């Protein structure tokens, strides 16, 4: 008997993708704890590294170089990544509230959410300034500003080290772009007061050389558009205003019921909060046993101790103490490729200090690019003939990439006898059946997805939208659904948590569509799969594949590329931002699009496993037509073409490609055979109505809608490209 996978029995949840948690994930990837399910919650698919922020602001690093790719990191650690912001922790119910997701349960939890430099107490700041933290939104807004043209004026509120670094970096960046720049640095007390006198003097001299105007002992009353109003009645004009002072914890931390100091979670020498199941690290934590300033060096050095203590808490082992060093090396960027170093009262500056800092920063980031890979288990020997060929050259994809090939499916369906009931209308080639019940017309369909993303709630949303696609494509209104769910082997508490997340996600989408869950079946197995059988009611003849007319335009409501992006995720080749974009697209429902297309569509289908070429061919075959696709008009998900050019493709690609040898093989044409999960609607509409429909679709939540081709008389089922 083969060994079943070990059941998952404990939930470890990391809130925030800060430096400490990033290192924990990397260590976990090399040595995971059997039986523990690891979850990371973060607002985005990446986390910026604060050490390289001044270099990015100055233009020495690209935006991509600034970011830790949490999607690749979580995938390497076999952790589920929930893209959303935690909004609360309830220790009594052991749950975490998230703005984009059903509540998540935990047994052990760690918080590493950093801090914010937002200044809500300063009137007008929220509306007219950009806080320097969190780093992600700040970096994006600065990138857009510095790439503008003409003279520029910038103001930074806060004369600490962070504000000084930003001021000089901004000055250097604008000078490099030959933009006349005015840089103001404003502090209500004495700037750089936390540094030794010698280092503070060196930084003041460097600011003067970079034409930064320093305003000290200067109180601000309020902000208005492009204006800072001072207490003495004067004003400072600035096109870009940021705040690097008043770093504060996120307000929701104080609402958890955990002990805090000035809003920061207090932790002991084991990095535990007042609830021993909850840990906190990085800038959001206050170490009561050894208070220290907020600095990334402490977060980095907390990682080995936190990893040990999380594993010990889950497995019943002893905890280690974290003892921070009393002083640390400060390397401060001077805008250009020069830096200042400070430690133990010594001050040193020059390009060599920048080179030193650059090597340290690049080494830190490199470890998240060079991720550990688990070797694939060797095939047994001896083995039956054909095993290697059946497995194929790459792992089986999930979602629609795991569908049976077209030939095998159609050949198997051909062995079925015709329907024997008179209340069933055969619809050859369509994915839903038409039933007649007491005078009502009802469409009935089923769909099932093998998981390709480790978050059950996201997979539930995708599976639900995917199954509803068949109902929307036939012009019906969703009515009821039953679920078929296979969970991986879990303890009862984890199974209940997981099933609750899935049911909550499914019910939310179904009820928005006007339908309800009416039953289902659940079981345990090797991996997560989610399926739905859905009914819909038609108050008119259903829209089928066989109603298209010569001259019809083909409209597609979503970009394509989910298959290649998720296949690249499995091999560690996809960018996290591109994966997040694909997931968003798959969770974008088609209710509005279906309503707009219903009256005009003469044939319609949802784009799924056979790719755009295969589904276009299905319409052509059923309607006795041929089609020409406009290759450059087909909308693509970000990253899809780059991945295709690099040789990435879904495990279903070869099956979808068969039979289209007349279409040339290029990176762009390969995407015609990319299997889609939760894809858009493909509708054949009268040509004279197509442009208006596309405009209306784009104005109503489907911005990528496009006319991608036309149908015409010709060899039945032939699909060509122009």
């Amino acid at each position: 008997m083969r060994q079943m996978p070990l059941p998952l029995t404990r939930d470890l949840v990391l809130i925030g993708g800060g430096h400490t948690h990033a290192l924990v994930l990397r260590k976990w990837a090399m040595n995971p704890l059997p039986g523990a399910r690891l979850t990371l919650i973060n607002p985005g698919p990446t986390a910026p590294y604060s050490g390289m922020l001044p270099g990015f602001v100055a233009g020495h690093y690209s935006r991509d170089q600034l970011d830790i790719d949490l999607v690749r990191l979580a995938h390497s650690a076999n952790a589920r990544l929930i893209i959303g912001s935690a909004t609360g922790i309830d220790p009594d119910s052991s749950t975490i509230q998230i703005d984009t997701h059903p509540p998540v349960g935990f047994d052990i939890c760690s918080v590493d959410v950093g801090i914010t430099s937002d200044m809500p107490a300063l009137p007008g700041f929220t509306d007219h300034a950009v806080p320097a933290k969190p780093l992600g939104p700040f970096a994006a807004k600065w990138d857009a500003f510095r790439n503008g043209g003409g003279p520029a004026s910038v103001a930074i509120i806060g004369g600490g080290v962070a504000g000084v670094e930003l001021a000089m970096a901004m000055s250097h960046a604008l000078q490099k772009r030959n933009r006349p720049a005015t840089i103001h640095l404003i502090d209500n007390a004495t700037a750089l007061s936390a540094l030794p006198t010698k280092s503070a003097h060196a930084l003041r001299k460097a600011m003067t050389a970079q034409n930064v105007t320093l305003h000290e002992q200067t109180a601000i009353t309020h902000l208005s558009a492009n204006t800072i109003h001072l207490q003495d009645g004067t004003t400072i004009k600035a096109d870009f205003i940021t705040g690097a002072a008043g770093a504060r914890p996120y307000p929701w931390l104080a609402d958890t019921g955990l002990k805090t100091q000035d809003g920061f979670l207090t932790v002991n020498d084991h990095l535990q909060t007042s609830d021993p199941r909850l840990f906190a690290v990085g800038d959001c934590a206050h170490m009561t046993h050894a208070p220290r300033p907020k600095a990334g060096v402490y977060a980095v050095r907390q990682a080995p101790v936190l990893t040990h203590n999380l594993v010990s808490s889950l497995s019943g082992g002893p905890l280690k103490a974290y003892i921070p060093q009393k002083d640390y090396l400060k390397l401060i960027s001077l805008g250009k490729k020069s830096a200042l170093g400070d430690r133990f009262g010594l001050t040193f500056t020059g390009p060599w200090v920048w080179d030193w800092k650059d090597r340290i920063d690049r080494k830190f980031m490199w470890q998240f690019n060079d991720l550990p890979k688990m070797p694939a288990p060797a095939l047994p020997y001896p083995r039956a003939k054909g095993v290697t060929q059946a497995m194929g050259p790459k792992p089986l994809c999930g979602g629609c990439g795991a569908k049976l090939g077209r030939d095998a499916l159609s050949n198997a369906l051909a062995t079925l006898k015709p329907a024997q009931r008179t209340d069933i209308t055969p619809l050859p080639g369509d994915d839903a059946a038409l039933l007649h019940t007491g005078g009502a017309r009802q469409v009935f369909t089923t769909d099932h997805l093998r998981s390709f993303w480790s978050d059950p709630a996201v997979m539930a949303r995708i599976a639900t939208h995917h199954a509803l696609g068949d109902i929307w494509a036939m012009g019906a209104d969703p009515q009821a659904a039953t679920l078929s769910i296979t969970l991986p082997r879990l303890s009862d508490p984890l199974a209940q948590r997981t099933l609750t997340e899935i049911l909550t996600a499914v019910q939310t989408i179904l009820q928005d569509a006007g339908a309800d869950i009416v039953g289902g079946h659940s079981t345990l197995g090797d991996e997560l799969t989610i399926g739905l059988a859905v009914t819909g009611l038609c108050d008119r003849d259903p829209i089928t594949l066989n109603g298209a007319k010569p001259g019809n335009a083909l409209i597609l409501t979503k970009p394509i590329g989910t298959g290649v992006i998720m296949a690249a995720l499995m091999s560690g080749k996809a960018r996290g931002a591109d994966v997040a974009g694909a997931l968003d697209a798959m969770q974008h429902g088609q209710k509005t699009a279906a309503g707009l297309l219903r009256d005009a569509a003469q044939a319609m289908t949802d784009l799924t496993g056979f790719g755009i070429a295969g589904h276009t061919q299905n319409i052509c075959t059923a309607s006795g037509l041929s089609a020409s696709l406009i290759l450059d008009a087909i909308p693509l998900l970000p990253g899809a073409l780059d991945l295709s050019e690099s040789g990435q493709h879904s495990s279903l690609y070869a099956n979808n490609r068969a039979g289209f040898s007349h279409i040339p093989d290029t990176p762009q044409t390969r995407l015609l055979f990319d299997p889609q999960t939760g894809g858009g609607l493909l509708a054949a509409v009268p040509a004279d109505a197509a442009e208006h429909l596309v405009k209306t679709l784009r104005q109503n939540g489907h911005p990528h809608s496009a006319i991608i081709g036309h149908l015409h008389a010709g060899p039945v089922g032939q699909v060509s490209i122009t």
Side-chain angles (χ1 to χ4, degrees), residues 532-555:
L532 291 91
V534 188
T535 61
L537 296 175
C538 283
D539 59 3
R540 63 181 83 189
D541 290 337
I543 306 167
T544 61
L545 294 177
N546 64 6
K549 303 291 189 294
N552 277 174
L554 289 171
I555 290 177

Side-chain angles (χ1 to χ4, degrees), residues 14-27 40-42 46-54 65-70 73 110-115 133-136 280-284 294-307 357 360-361 364-365 367-368:
L14 307 179
I15 303 177
H19 304 350
T20 314
H21 281 176
L23 290 168
V24 168
L25 282 163
R26 195 180 191 284
K27 291 176 181 293
L40 172 67
I41 303 168
N42 195 70
T46 60
Y49 170 47
S50 59
M52 294 173 76
L53 179 66
Q65 287 177 296
L66 182 66
D67 283 337
I68 299 170
D69 192 326
L70 296 178
L73 183 57
S110 178
V111 184
D112 184 15
V113 295
I115 52 180
K133 289 190 176 183
L135 299 183
V281 288
D283 288 349
C284 69
K294 304 302 180 186
V297 64
Y298 299 118
V300 169
R301 295 187 180 183
Q302 285 171 339
V305 175
L306 178 64
T307 303
K357 173 177 167 55
I360 292 172
D361 289 336
F364 178 80
M365 291 298 285
Q367 62 191 321
F368 301 113

Side-chain angles (χ1 to χ4, degrees), residues 441-522:
R441 284 175 291 192
Q442 186 181 49
V443 294
F444 178 50
T445 187
T446 185
D447 231 313
H448 205 95
L449 295 183
R450 175 176 179 261
S451 179
F452 52 81
W453 184 249
S454 53
D455 184 357
V458 168
M459 282 306 308
R461 292 191 194 108
I462 293 171
T464 306
H465 284 306
H466 188 78
L468 286 172
D470 293 337
I471 304 297
W472 296 128
M474 298 191 76
D477 294 313
Q479 178 192 25
T482 59
L483 277 67
S484 177
I485 300 170
T486 301
L487 296 179
R489 199 173 179 198
L490 304 167
S491 65
D492 283 348
L494 265 66
Q496 180 178 327
R497 290 173 183 170
T498 305
L499 195 58
T500 299
E501 289 182 35
I502 291 171
L503 293 176
T504 301
V506 172
Q507 185 178 63
T508 299
I509 294 169
L510 286 176
Q511 290 191 339
D512 178 69
D516 281 302
I517 299 173
V518 294
H521 176 76
S522 61

Side-chain angles (χ1 to χ4, degrees), residues 168-218:
M168 289 189 285
M170 289 173 164
S171 176
H172 180 76
L174 295 170
Q175 288 175 28
K176 279 175 58 179
R177 286 161 175 76
N178 296 314
R179 295 183 64 186
T182 303
I183 310 293
H184 297 276
L185 180 63
I186 308 166
D187 197 282
N188 62 2
T190 300
L192 298 169
S193 56
L195 284 179
T197 302
K198 187 176 179 183
S199 294
H201 177 74
L203 288 175
R204 288 173 180 271
K205 185 177 178 181
M207 280 194 289
T208 300
Q210 291 277 36
N211 296 317
V212 175
T213 301
L214 177 61
H215 306 263
E216 297 180 276
Q217 312 298 330
T218 302

